[in-house]
Amino acid sequence: MDKVKELQTIIREFAEKRHWIRENNGKDLALSISLEANELLECFQWKSSSEALETNLGSIKEELADVLIYCFRFADEHGLNIEELILSKLKKNAIKYPVL
Ligand SMILES: [Mg+2]
């Protein structure tokens, strides 16, 4: 099993054990990605990037993990392959933003 699928299984099992899995909850997962991204942003509020990283690294790591966990759940729930999504988007970005 590849590492991404292994992580998705661990995350899904974590949610299942707590009865957090619901059908058709793409909207809630997308909302959760955004909310956790804002919690990540909050770690930087009123600080420079370097100040935030020096003083809030623990929280930054936790909020980044929350964002990634919901991204992995979203992809898992919708049968989307994360590796394919990223590689496909990078390919598209390379065309849109050519190296000058
Ligand atoms: Mg959080």
Side-chain angles (χ1 to χ4, degrees), residues 32 35-40 59 62-67 70:
S32 298
L35 292 171
E36 294 299 343
N38 281 293
E39 289 182 10
L40 176 61
S59 298
E62 287 185 8
E63 298 310 339
L64 180 59
D66 284 339
V67 172
Y70 278 119

Side-chain angles (χ1 to χ4, degrees), residues 23-86:
E23 290 199 18
N24 300 317
N25 72 342
K27 180 221 16 136
D28 292 324
L29 291 171
L31 270 171
S32 298
I33 292 168
S34 180
L35 292 171
E36 294 299 343
N38 281 293
E39 289 182 10
L40 176 61
L41 265 179
E42 197 174 14
C43 297
F44 291 88
Q45 189 177 27
W46 312 120
K47 295 180 173 80
S48 68
S49 290
S50 55
E51 282 174 335
L53 287 163
E54 279 172 31
T55 60
N56 282 348
L57 186 56
S59 298
I60 290 167
K61 286 175 171 179
E62 287 185 8
E63 298 310 339
L64 180 59
D66 284 339
V67 172
L68 293 167
I69 287 167
Y70 278 119
C71 288
F72 276 53
R73 274 286 307 124
F74 186 96
D76 185 33
E77 179 137 328
H78 294 87
L80 305 171
N81 183 308
I82 286 178
E83 288 178 54
E84 283 176 17
L85 292 177
I86 291 172

